[in-house]
Amino acid sequence: MNFQPSKKMSIFSPAIFGDLKAAAELKKATGAQVVDLSLGSPDLPPDERVRQALSEQSALASSYGYTLGGTKRFHEAVANYYKRRTGVIINPHTEILQTMGSQEGLVHLPFAFCDEGDYILTTNPAYVAYDAGIKLAGAVPYYMPLLAENGFLPNLKEVPEDVLKKTKLLILNLPGNPVPAMPNEAFFEEVVAFAKKYEIIVLHDAAYSEYYFTGDRPASFLTTPGAMEVGMEINSLSKSFSLAGARIAYFVGNADMIKVLRELKSNLDYGTFGPIQEAAIVALDNGEEITDRLRAEFSKRHHALMDGLASLGWETTPSEGGMFVWAKYPYDLDDIEFVFEVIKQAGVVMVPGSIFGTAGVGYVRLALVQKVELIEQAIEQLRELSIVSV
């Protein structure tokens, strides 16, 4: 049969993760030890209480109807979680919208607020789903570089006035993927003032808000005075509660914006499977205990990877949180060529930085998704690389 894909399909680049997996399988076939630090999918299982709730609810004959969105109980659990963790009071009826994972929500976000030709401010590098949603909506991305001299935070003052006049949306992600920069009160205050001045909607992607390894947890954007007037936060249970495959997340924030998103969502799906929502409620209600255990383990991994890469002479972005390490390697190879050579020589899988934006050229992203022992093994395998240094 002769057919052509739609013109919109041309905006997508082939995903590299399948190629990385294939290269890793070839290496495994030689009998070599392969340590995969590529995909940001938590390796730790969900809490037993969460799994039990999902199992029990799935066994009920009454659990298989449409949910038509988030249930009342789920919305209340989110509101209670935010009040306990951030002090922010959320109206569960008007200021929360459930999505089928944060990627689904992020890709659909521009459809709700942007017309063709509108600008969206995002970062370089950035999580790839932002770009997908921007381009599918026919909007125009404006990339703000994440530079060391700015603490890897975007410099809003450098965005041209002519771009700002046509900007509808600003997307932030702190701590970020792939660059794990942390938010601070002064920056979020600047964001709120900036958004009010130019009438720009702010979306803060807080997927990694429970991943912090020193001091206090990262601030919620919504704790900033005026934030509820200009924007929203999206949070996911994928990372914080090891529910990546369950696909459940939520927007929280400005009621008028949530209403627009709810109208869009009502035309896209019939809601998340009820037992998954019940499991998510158990996770949120026990959030402090569950995430304390997660942080204890991931903090050890973070230190092992950061210290190990430093011992190899790699330059890592300073970080106190997030699920990833962002590193500049000391070898004279293009980053895509480099990651495949590393798999071939050392059996360590990582993601080339350039897939996240042009500022990622020469960098790699490594995920904290293996036990400390395997991370240390990866470092020893990387020590054996025979690539010419820069």
Side-chain angles (χ1 to χ4, degrees), residues 46-47 49-51 53 70-86 90 92 96-99 206-207 209-210 217 234-243 248-252 275-292:
D47 185 89
R49 291 164 291 183
V50 176
R51 302 197 309 271
T71 64
K72 180 174 181 288
R73 279 172 41 77
F74 176 81
H75 284 194
E76 289 172 348
V78 170
N80 289 335
Y81 172 75
Y82 255 75
K83 183 178 179 181
R84 296 195 318 270
R85 300 298 277 161
T86 71
I90 301 292
I96 300 171
L97 175 72
Q98 186 185 100
T99 65
S209 59
E210 292 289 2
R217 71 194 304 270
I234 188 168
N235 211 327
S236 166
L237 282 84
S238 294
K239 316 299 184 186
S240 301
F241 298 101
S242 299
L243 286 169
I248 185 163
Y250 52 87
F251 286 102
V252 181
I276 291 176
Q277 297 199 45
E278 290 299 316
I281 291 166
V282 173
L284 291 165
D285 286 349
N286 295 277
E288 291 82 352
E289 182 187 344
I290 293 172
T291 57
D292 279 352

Short mmCIF file of all heavy atoms in Angstrom, two decimals, residues 46-47 49-51 53 70-86 90 92 96-99 206-207 209-210 217 234-243 248-252 275-292:
data_model
loop_
_atom_site.label_atom_id
_atom_site.label_comp_id
_atom_site.label_asym_id
_atom_site.label_seq_id
_atom_site.Cartn_x
_atom_site.Cartn_y
_atom_site.Cartn_z
N PRO A 46 7.35 0.35 43.57
CA PRO A 46 6.48 1.17 44.42
C PRO A 46 6.36 0.56 45.81
O PRO A 46 6.57 -0.65 46.00
CB PRO A 46 5.13 1.12 43.69
CG PRO A 46 5.43 0.68 42.30
CD PRO A 46 6.64 -0.19 42.39
N ASP A 47 6.02 1.38 46.77
CA ASP A 47 5.79 0.93 48.13
C ASP A 47 4.77 -0.21 48.13
O ASP A 47 3.83 -0.23 47.33
CB ASP A 47 5.27 2.11 48.95
CG ASP A 47 5.10 1.79 50.41
OD1 ASP A 47 6.06 1.96 51.17
OD2 ASP A 47 3.99 1.36 50.79
N ARG A 49 2.34 -0.93 50.05
CA ARG A 49 0.95 -0.50 50.26
C ARG A 49 0.33 0.01 48.97
O ARG A 49 -0.87 -0.19 48.72
CB ARG A 49 0.91 0.60 51.33
CG ARG A 49 1.24 0.13 52.73
CD ARG A 49 1.57 1.28 53.65
NE ARG A 49 2.83 1.90 53.29
CZ ARG A 49 3.40 2.89 53.97
NH1 ARG A 49 2.78 3.39 55.05
NH2 ARG A 49 4.55 3.40 53.60
N VAL A 50 1.14 0.65 48.14
CA VAL A 50 0.65 1.16 46.86
C VAL A 50 0.33 -0.01 45.93
O VAL A 50 -0.73 -0.04 45.27
CB VAL A 50 1.71 2.09 46.22
CG1 VAL A 50 1.27 2.56 44.84
CG2 VAL A 50 1.96 3.29 47.13
N ARG A 51 1.22 -0.98 45.87
CA ARG A 51 0.99 -2.15 45.03
C ARG A 51 -0.23 -2.94 45.50
O ARG A 51 -1.01 -3.45 44.69
CB ARG A 51 2.23 -3.06 45.03
CG ARG A 51 3.50 -2.36 44.55
CD ARG A 51 4.58 -3.34 44.15
NE ARG A 51 4.88 -4.36 45.13
CZ ARG A 51 5.76 -4.25 46.11
NH1 ARG A 51 6.44 -3.09 46.26
NH2 ARG A 51 5.99 -5.24 46.94
N ALA A 53 -2.87 -1.76 47.09
CA ALA A 53 -4.10 -1.03 46.73
C ALA A 53 -4.45 -1.25 45.26
O ALA A 53 -5.61 -1.47 44.91
CB ALA A 53 -3.90 0.46 47.01
N GLY A 70 -9.94 12.89 36.93
CA GLY A 70 -9.53 12.57 38.29
C GLY A 70 -10.75 12.43 39.20
O GLY A 70 -11.71 13.19 39.10
N THR A 71 -10.70 11.45 40.10
CA THR A 71 -11.79 11.28 41.05
C THR A 71 -11.71 12.34 42.15
O THR A 71 -10.68 12.97 42.36
CB THR A 71 -11.72 9.88 41.69
OG1 THR A 71 -10.51 9.79 42.45
CG2 THR A 71 -11.74 8.79 40.63
N LYS A 72 -12.81 12.49 42.86
CA LYS A 72 -12.86 13.44 43.98
C LYS A 72 -11.79 13.07 45.02
O LYS A 72 -11.08 13.95 45.54
CB LYS A 72 -14.25 13.43 44.60
CG LYS A 72 -14.44 14.38 45.78
CD LYS A 72 -15.92 14.39 46.20
CE LYS A 72 -16.16 15.34 47.36
NZ LYS A 72 -15.60 14.84 48.65
N ARG A 73 -11.65 11.78 45.28
CA ARG A 73 -10.66 11.33 46.27
C ARG A 73 -9.24 11.63 45.82
O ARG A 73 -8.39 12.02 46.62
CB ARG A 73 -10.82 9.81 46.51
CG ARG A 73 -11.94 9.48 47.47
CD ARG A 73 -12.21 7.98 47.54
NE ARG A 73 -11.02 7.13 47.55
CZ ARG A 73 -10.22 6.94 48.60
NH1 ARG A 73 -10.48 7.56 49.75
NH2 ARG A 73 -9.17 6.14 48.52
N PHE A 74 -8.96 11.46 44.54
CA PHE A 74 -7.61 11.76 44.04
C PHE A 74 -7.32 13.25 44.18
O PHE A 74 -6.24 13.64 44.64
CB PHE A 74 -7.47 11.33 42.58
CG PHE A 74 -6.15 11.71 41.98
CD1 PHE A 74 -5.02 10.93 42.20
CD2 PHE A 74 -6.00 12.86 41.22
CE1 PHE A 74 -3.78 11.28 41.68
CE2 PHE A 74 -4.77 13.22 40.68
CZ PHE A 74 -3.66 12.43 40.92
N HIS A 75 -8.25 14.09 43.77
CA HIS A 75 -8.05 15.55 43.86
C HIS A 75 -7.80 15.97 45.31
O HIS A 75 -6.95 16.82 45.59
CB HIS A 75 -9.27 16.27 43.31
CG HIS A 75 -9.32 16.27 41.81
ND1 HIS A 75 -10.17 17.09 41.10
CD2 HIS A 75 -8.65 15.54 40.89
CE1 HIS A 75 -10.00 16.88 39.80
NE2 HIS A 75 -9.09 15.93 39.67
N GLU A 76 -8.54 15.38 46.24
CA GLU A 76 -8.36 15.73 47.65
C GLU A 76 -7.00 15.26 48.16
O GLU A 76 -6.36 15.96 48.96
CB GLU A 76 -9.50 15.11 48.48
CG GLU A 76 -10.84 15.80 48.24
CD GLU A 76 -12.01 15.08 48.90
OE1 GLU A 76 -11.81 13.91 49.35
OE2 GLU A 76 -13.11 15.66 48.96
N ALA A 77 -6.55 14.09 47.69
CA ALA A 77 -5.23 13.59 48.09
C ALA A 77 -4.12 14.51 47.60
O ALA A 77 -3.15 14.77 48.32
CB ALA A 77 -5.02 12.17 47.57
N VAL A 78 -4.25 15.02 46.37
CA VAL A 78 -3.26 15.96 45.83
C VAL A 78 -3.26 17.25 46.65
O VAL A 78 -2.19 17.76 47.03
CB VAL A 78 -3.55 16.28 44.34
CG1 VAL A 78 -2.67 17.43 43.86
CG2 VAL A 78 -3.34 15.05 43.48
N ALA A 79 -4.45 17.77 46.94
CA ALA A 79 -4.55 19.01 47.72
C ALA A 79 -3.93 18.84 49.11
O ALA A 79 -3.19 19.71 49.60
CB ALA A 79 -6.00 19.45 47.83
N ASN A 80 -4.19 17.70 49.74
CA ASN A 80 -3.62 17.44 51.07
C ASN A 80 -2.10 17.30 51.00
O ASN A 80 -1.38 17.79 51.88
CB ASN A 80 -4.24 16.17 51.66
CG ASN A 80 -5.69 16.36 52.06
OD1 ASN A 80 -6.11 17.48 52.33
ND2 ASN A 80 -6.46 15.29 52.09
N TYR A 81 -1.62 16.63 49.97
CA TYR A 81 -0.18 16.45 49.78
C TYR A 81 0.50 17.81 49.61
O TYR A 81 1.53 18.08 50.25
CB TYR A 81 0.04 15.57 48.55
CG TYR A 81 1.47 15.42 48.09
CD1 TYR A 81 2.36 14.60 48.79
CD2 TYR A 81 1.93 16.06 46.94
CE1 TYR A 81 3.67 14.44 48.36
CE2 TYR A 81 3.23 15.90 46.51
CZ TYR A 81 4.10 15.10 47.21
OH TYR A 81 5.40 14.95 46.78
N TYR A 82 -0.07 18.69 48.79
CA TYR A 82 0.52 20.01 48.57
C TYR A 82 0.50 20.84 49.86
O TYR A 82 1.46 21.54 50.16
CB TYR A 82 -0.21 20.75 47.45
CG TYR A 82 0.60 20.78 46.17
CD1 TYR A 82 0.70 19.64 45.38
CD2 TYR A 82 1.30 21.91 45.77
CE1 TYR A 82 1.46 19.63 44.23
CE2 TYR A 82 2.06 21.92 44.63
CZ TYR A 82 2.15 20.77 43.86
OH TYR A 82 2.92 20.77 42.73
N LYS A 83 -0.57 20.74 50.61
CA LYS A 83 -0.65 21.51 51.85
C LYS A 83 0.42 21.05 52.82
O LYS A 83 1.11 21.87 53.46
CB LYS A 83 -2.03 21.36 52.47
CG LYS A 83 -2.22 22.19 53.73
CD LYS A 83 -3.62 22.04 54.30
CE LYS A 83 -3.78 22.86 55.57
NZ LYS A 83 -5.15 22.71 56.15
N ARG A 84 0.59 19.73 52.95
CA ARG A 84 1.59 19.19 53.88
C ARG A 84 3.01 19.49 53.42
O ARG A 84 3.87 19.84 54.22
CB ARG A 84 1.45 17.66 54.01
CG ARG A 84 0.16 17.18 54.60
CD ARG A 84 0.25 15.71 55.01
NE ARG A 84 0.95 14.86 54.06
CZ ARG A 84 0.37 14.21 53.06
NH1 ARG A 84 -0.93 14.35 52.86
NH2 ARG A 84 1.09 13.42 52.26
N ARG A 85 3.29 19.34 52.14
CA ARG A 85 4.65 19.41 51.62
C ARG A 85 5.11 20.83 51.29
O ARG A 85 6.31 21.11 51.32
CB ARG A 85 4.79 18.54 50.37
CG ARG A 85 4.49 17.08 50.59
CD ARG A 85 5.44 16.44 51.57
NE ARG A 85 6.69 16.03 50.93
CZ ARG A 85 7.81 15.79 51.58
NH1 ARG A 85 7.85 15.94 52.89
NH2 ARG A 85 8.89 15.40 50.95
N THR A 86 4.17 21.71 50.92
CA THR A 86 4.57 23.06 50.49
C THR A 86 3.88 24.18 51.26
O THR A 86 4.31 25.33 51.17
CB THR A 86 4.25 23.26 48.99
OG1 THR A 86 2.83 23.35 48.81
CG2 THR A 86 4.79 22.12 48.14
N ILE A 90 -4.66 24.37 48.02
CA ILE A 90 -5.19 24.13 46.68
C ILE A 90 -6.67 23.76 46.78
O ILE A 90 -7.05 22.93 47.61
CB ILE A 90 -4.43 22.95 46.01
CG1 ILE A 90 -2.93 23.23 45.91
CG2 ILE A 90 -5.02 22.64 44.63
CD1 ILE A 90 -2.55 24.33 44.98
N PRO A 92 -9.39 21.59 45.65
CA PRO A 92 -9.39 20.32 44.91
C PRO A 92 -10.41 20.27 43.78
O PRO A 92 -10.27 19.44 42.86
CB PRO A 92 -9.72 19.28 45.99
CG PRO A 92 -10.41 20.05 47.07
CD PRO A 92 -9.81 21.42 47.05
N ILE A 96 -6.99 21.66 40.25
CA ILE A 96 -6.25 20.43 39.98
C ILE A 96 -6.82 19.77 38.74
O ILE A 96 -8.04 19.71 38.56
CB ILE A 96 -6.33 19.44 41.16
CG1 ILE A 96 -5.74 20.05 42.43
CG2 ILE A 96 -5.60 18.12 40.83
CD1 ILE A 96 -5.98 19.22 43.69
N LEU A 97 -5.94 19.26 37.88
CA LEU A 97 -6.36 18.48 36.71
C LEU A 97 -5.44 17.28 36.58
O LEU A 97 -4.22 17.42 36.49
CB LEU A 97 -6.30 19.31 35.42
CG LEU A 97 -6.62 18.52 34.15
CD1 LEU A 97 -8.11 18.19 34.09
CD2 LEU A 97 -6.20 19.28 32.91
N GLN A 98 -6.02 16.09 36.54
CA GLN A 98 -5.23 14.87 36.39
C GLN A 98 -4.89 14.63 34.92
O GLN A 98 -5.68 14.92 34.03
CB GLN A 98 -6.03 13.68 36.92
CG GLN A 98 -5.24 12.38 36.95
CD GLN A 98 -6.12 11.23 37.37
OE1 GLN A 98 -6.59 10.47 36.55
NE2 GLN A 98 -6.37 11.11 38.66
N THR A 99 -3.68 14.11 34.69
CA THR A 99 -3.26 13.73 33.33
C THR A 99 -2.71 12.30 33.36
O THR A 99 -2.38 11.77 34.41
CB THR A 99 -2.19 14.67 32.76
OG1 THR A 99 -0.98 14.55 33.54
CG2 THR A 99 -2.65 16.11 32.78
N ALA A 206 7.54 20.11 37.85
CA ALA A 206 8.13 19.75 39.15
C ALA A 206 8.27 18.23 39.31
O ALA A 206 8.15 17.69 40.41
CB ALA A 206 7.29 20.32 40.28
N ALA A 207 8.53 17.54 38.21
CA ALA A 207 8.59 16.07 38.23
C ALA A 207 9.62 15.53 39.21
O ALA A 207 9.48 14.42 39.72
CB ALA A 207 8.88 15.54 36.83
N SER A 209 10.70 17.07 42.11
CA SER A 209 10.67 17.89 43.32
C SER A 209 11.00 17.10 44.59
O SER A 209 11.38 17.69 45.60
CB SER A 209 9.29 18.54 43.48
OG SER A 209 8.27 17.56 43.56
N GLU A 210 10.86 15.79 44.56
CA GLU A 210 11.20 14.99 45.74
C GLU A 210 12.64 14.47 45.69
O GLU A 210 13.08 13.75 46.59
CB GLU A 210 10.23 13.81 45.89
CG GLU A 210 8.81 14.21 46.24
CD GLU A 210 8.66 14.72 47.67
OE1 GLU A 210 9.68 14.82 48.40
OE2 GLU A 210 7.52 15.05 48.06
N ARG A 217 13.87 20.76 50.78
CA ARG A 217 13.35 20.33 49.48
C ARG A 217 13.23 21.54 48.56
O ARG A 217 13.08 22.68 49.03
CB ARG A 217 11.99 19.63 49.64
CG ARG A 217 10.84 20.54 50.01
CD ARG A 217 9.62 19.75 50.48
NE ARG A 217 9.18 18.77 49.51
CZ ARG A 217 8.30 19.02 48.54
NH1 ARG A 217 7.78 20.22 48.42
NH2 ARG A 217 7.93 18.07 47.73
N ILE A 234 3.19 21.22 37.20
CA ILE A 234 2.79 19.86 36.88
C ILE A 234 3.70 18.92 37.66
O ILE A 234 4.91 19.15 37.76
CB ILE A 234 2.85 19.56 35.36
CG1 ILE A 234 2.25 18.18 35.06
CG2 ILE A 234 4.26 19.69 34.79
CD1 ILE A 234 2.01 17.93 33.57
N ASN A 235 3.10 17.94 38.26
CA ASN A 235 3.86 16.97 39.05
C ASN A 235 3.41 15.57 38.69
O ASN A 235 2.26 15.36 38.28
CB ASN A 235 3.66 17.22 40.55
CG ASN A 235 4.89 16.85 41.36
OD1 ASN A 235 5.61 15.91 41.02
ND2 ASN A 235 5.12 17.57 42.44
N SER A 236 4.32 14.65 38.83
CA SER A 236 4.08 13.28 38.38
C SER A 236 4.39 12.31 39.51
O SER A 236 5.26 12.55 40.34
CB SER A 236 4.99 12.99 37.18
OG SER A 236 5.04 11.60 36.91
N LEU A 237 3.66 11.18 39.53
CA LEU A 237 3.97 10.14 40.49
C LEU A 237 4.97 9.13 39.92
O LEU A 237 5.35 8.19 40.59
CB LEU A 237 2.69 9.41 40.92
CG LEU A 237 1.85 10.18 41.96
CD1 LEU A 237 0.94 11.19 41.31
CD2 LEU A 237 1.07 9.24 42.85
N SER A 238 5.38 9.35 38.68
CA SER A 238 6.30 8.42 38.01
C SER A 238 7.62 8.29 38.76
O SER A 238 8.09 7.18 39.04
CB SER A 238 6.57 8.88 36.58
OG SER A 238 5.43 8.80 35.78
N LYS A 239 8.25 9.42 39.05
CA LYS A 239 9.58 9.40 39.66
C LYS A 239 9.49 9.31 41.17
O LYS A 239 10.11 8.44 41.79
CB LYS A 239 10.35 10.66 39.27
CG LYS A 239 10.25 11.07 37.81
CD LYS A 239 10.78 10.02 36.85
CE LYS A 239 10.73 10.52 35.42
NZ LYS A 239 11.11 9.49 34.45
N SER A 240 8.72 10.20 41.79
CA SER A 240 8.68 10.29 43.24
C SER A 240 8.14 9.03 43.91
O SER A 240 8.48 8.73 45.05
CB SER A 240 7.83 11.48 43.68
OG SER A 240 8.36 12.68 43.16
N PHE A 241 7.27 8.30 43.21
CA PHE A 241 6.63 7.13 43.83
C PHE A 241 6.82 5.85 43.02
O PHE A 241 6.12 4.87 43.22
CB PHE A 241 5.14 7.42 44.05
CG PHE A 241 4.90 8.57 44.99
CD1 PHE A 241 4.58 9.83 44.50
CD2 PHE A 241 5.03 8.41 46.36
CE1 PHE A 241 4.38 10.91 45.36
CE2 PHE A 241 4.83 9.47 47.23
CZ PHE A 241 4.51 10.72 46.73
N SER A 242 7.77 5.88 42.06
CA SER A 242 8.10 4.70 41.25
C SER A 242 6.89 4.15 40.51
O SER A 242 6.72 2.94 40.37
CB SER A 242 8.72 3.61 42.14
OG SER A 242 9.92 4.06 42.74
N LEU A 243 6.03 5.03 40.02
CA LEU A 243 4.83 4.61 39.29
C LEU A 243 4.92 5.00 37.82
O LEU A 243 3.92 5.36 37.19
CB LEU A 243 3.59 5.25 39.94
CG LEU A 243 3.16 4.63 41.27
CD1 LEU A 243 2.10 5.49 41.95
CD2 LEU A 243 2.64 3.22 41.07
N ILE A 248 0.37 8.48 35.68
CA ILE A 248 -0.56 9.36 36.39
C ILE A 248 0.20 10.59 36.90
O ILE A 248 1.27 10.47 37.50
CB ILE A 248 -1.30 8.62 37.52
CG1 ILE A 248 -2.35 9.53 38.17
CG2 ILE A 248 -0.34 8.03 38.55
CD1 ILE A 248 -3.39 8.77 38.99
N ALA A 249 -0.36 11.76 36.63
CA ALA A 249 0.25 13.03 37.02
C ALA A 249 -0.87 14.05 37.17
O ALA A 249 -2.06 13.72 37.02
CB ALA A 249 1.26 13.48 35.96
N TYR A 250 -0.50 15.32 37.43
CA TYR A 250 -1.54 16.33 37.61
C TYR A 250 -0.97 17.73 37.44
O TYR A 250 0.18 18.00 37.77
CB TYR A 250 -2.19 16.20 39.00
CG TYR A 250 -1.18 16.18 40.13
CD1 TYR A 250 -0.72 17.36 40.71
CD2 TYR A 250 -0.69 14.97 40.61
CE1 TYR A 250 0.21 17.34 41.73
CE2 TYR A 250 0.25 14.95 41.64
CZ TYR A 250 0.70 16.13 42.18
OH TYR A 250 1.63 16.12 43.18
N PHE A 251 -1.79 18.61 36.90
CA PHE A 251 -1.55 20.05 36.92
C PHE A 251 -2.17 20.61 38.21
O PHE A 251 -3.26 20.18 38.62
CB PHE A 251 -2.22 20.75 35.74
CG PHE A 251 -1.56 20.56 34.41
CD1 PHE A 251 -2.09 19.66 33.49
CD2 PHE A 251 -0.42 21.28 34.06
CE1 PHE A 251 -1.50 19.50 32.24
CE2 PHE A 251 0.17 21.11 32.83
CZ PHE A 251 -0.36 20.22 31.91
N VAL A 252 -1.51 21.60 38.80
CA VAL A 252 -2.03 22.32 39.96
C VAL A 252 -1.79 23.80 39.73
O VAL A 252 -0.73 24.19 39.25
CB VAL A 252 -1.29 21.89 41.25
CG1 VAL A 252 -1.86 22.63 42.45
CG2 VAL A 252 -1.38 20.41 41.46
N PRO A 275 -8.31 1.96 39.53
CA PRO A 275 -7.37 1.38 40.49
C PRO A 275 -6.01 2.09 40.53
O PRO A 275 -5.38 2.15 41.59
CB PRO A 275 -7.23 -0.06 39.99
CG PRO A 275 -8.56 -0.37 39.39
CD PRO A 275 -8.94 0.91 38.71
N ILE A 276 -5.57 2.64 39.41
CA ILE A 276 -4.33 3.41 39.42
C ILE A 276 -4.52 4.67 40.26
O ILE A 276 -3.63 5.07 41.02
CB ILE A 276 -3.88 3.75 37.99
CG1 ILE A 276 -3.42 2.49 37.26
CG2 ILE A 276 -2.77 4.80 37.99
CD1 ILE A 276 -3.04 2.69 35.81
N GLN A 277 -5.68 5.30 40.14
CA GLN A 277 -5.95 6.49 40.96
C GLN A 277 -5.97 6.14 42.45
O GLN A 277 -5.44 6.89 43.28
CB GLN A 277 -7.28 7.12 40.56
CG GLN A 277 -7.31 7.63 39.13
CD GLN A 277 -8.43 8.64 38.91
OE1 GLN A 277 -8.63 9.54 39.73
NE2 GLN A 277 -9.14 8.52 37.79
N GLU A 278 -6.55 4.98 42.78
CA GLU A 278 -6.59 4.56 44.19
C GLU A 278 -5.17 4.29 44.72
O GLU A 278 -4.84 4.63 45.86
CB GLU A 278 -7.48 3.32 44.34
CG GLU A 278 -8.95 3.59 44.15
CD GLU A 278 -9.50 4.59 45.17
OE1 GLU A 278 -9.17 4.48 46.36
OE2 GLU A 278 -10.25 5.51 44.76
N ALA A 279 -4.35 3.67 43.89
CA ALA A 279 -2.95 3.43 44.29
C ALA A 279 -2.22 4.75 44.48
O ALA A 279 -1.42 4.91 45.42
CB ALA A 279 -2.26 2.57 43.24
N ALA A 280 -2.49 5.71 43.60
CA ALA A 280 -1.85 7.02 43.69
C ALA A 280 -2.27 7.74 44.98
O ALA A 280 -1.46 8.44 45.60
CB ALA A 280 -2.23 7.86 42.48
N ILE A 281 -3.51 7.57 45.39
CA ILE A 281 -3.99 8.18 46.63
C ILE A 281 -3.19 7.65 47.82
O ILE A 281 -2.75 8.41 48.70
CB ILE A 281 -5.50 7.91 46.82
CG1 ILE A 281 -6.31 8.69 45.77
CG2 ILE A 281 -5.95 8.29 48.23
CD1 ILE A 281 -7.75 8.23 45.64
N VAL A 282 -2.96 6.33 47.84
CA VAL A 282 -2.18 5.73 48.92
C VAL A 282 -0.75 6.30 48.92
O VAL A 282 -0.19 6.61 49.97
CB VAL A 282 -2.15 4.18 48.78
CG1 VAL A 282 -1.19 3.57 49.80
CG2 VAL A 282 -3.54 3.61 48.95
N ALA A 283 -0.18 6.46 47.73
CA ALA A 283 1.17 7.02 47.61
C ALA A 283 1.22 8.45 48.16
O ALA A 283 2.09 8.79 48.96
CB ALA A 283 1.62 6.99 46.15
N LEU A 284 0.28 9.27 47.74
CA LEU A 284 0.26 10.67 48.18
C LEU A 284 0.02 10.78 49.68
O LEU A 284 0.63 11.61 50.37
CB LEU A 284 -0.81 11.44 47.41
CG LEU A 284 -0.52 11.65 45.91
CD1 LEU A 284 -1.80 12.08 45.18
CD2 LEU A 284 0.58 12.67 45.70
N ASP A 285 -0.88 9.96 50.21
CA ASP A 285 -1.20 10.01 51.63
C ASP A 285 -0.02 9.57 52.51
O ASP A 285 0.03 9.91 53.69
CB ASP A 285 -2.42 9.14 51.94
CG ASP A 285 -3.73 9.76 51.45
OD1 ASP A 285 -3.70 10.96 51.07
OD2 ASP A 285 -4.75 9.06 51.46
N ASN A 286 0.88 8.81 51.94
CA ASN A 286 2.07 8.34 52.67
C ASN A 286 3.35 8.91 52.07
O ASN A 286 4.42 8.32 52.18
CB ASN A 286 2.11 6.81 52.66
CG ASN A 286 0.96 6.18 53.40
OD1 ASN A 286 1.00 6.04 54.62
ND2 ASN A 286 -0.09 5.80 52.68
N GLY A 287 3.21 10.07 51.44
CA GLY A 287 4.30 10.64 50.65
C GLY A 287 5.59 10.88 51.41
O GLY A 287 6.67 10.60 50.91
N GLU A 288 5.49 11.39 52.65
CA GLU A 288 6.69 11.71 53.40
C GLU A 288 7.54 10.47 53.66
O GLU A 288 8.74 10.45 53.41
CB GLU A 288 6.33 12.38 54.73
CG GLU A 288 5.76 13.78 54.58
CD GLU A 288 4.28 13.81 54.24
OE1 GLU A 288 3.68 12.75 53.96
OE2 GLU A 288 3.71 14.91 54.25
N GLU A 289 6.90 9.41 54.14
CA GLU A 289 7.62 8.19 54.46
C GLU A 289 8.22 7.54 53.22
O GLU A 289 9.38 7.11 53.21
CB GLU A 289 6.68 7.20 55.15
CG GLU A 289 7.35 5.90 55.57
CD GLU A 289 6.35 4.89 56.10
OE1 GLU A 289 5.21 5.28 56.44
OE2 GLU A 289 6.72 3.71 56.15
N ILE A 290 7.45 7.49 52.15
CA ILE A 290 7.90 6.85 50.92
C ILE A 290 9.07 7.61 50.31
O ILE A 290 10.09 7.02 49.93
CB ILE A 290 6.74 6.73 49.91
CG1 ILE A 290 5.68 5.74 50.44
CG2 ILE A 290 7.26 6.27 48.54
CD1 ILE A 290 4.41 5.70 49.61
N THR A 291 8.95 8.92 50.22
CA THR A 291 10.01 9.68 49.55
C THR A 291 11.26 9.84 50.41
O THR A 291 12.35 10.00 49.88
CB THR A 291 9.49 11.07 49.11
OG1 THR A 291 8.99 11.78 50.25
CG2 THR A 291 8.40 10.94 48.07
N ASP A 292 11.12 9.75 51.73
CA ASP A 292 12.31 9.75 52.58
C ASP A 292 13.19 8.55 52.26
O ASP A 292 14.42 8.67 52.18
CB ASP A 292 11.91 9.71 54.07
CG ASP A 292 11.52 11.08 54.61
OD1 ASP A 292 11.71 12.08 53.88
OD2 ASP A 292 11.02 11.14 55.75
#
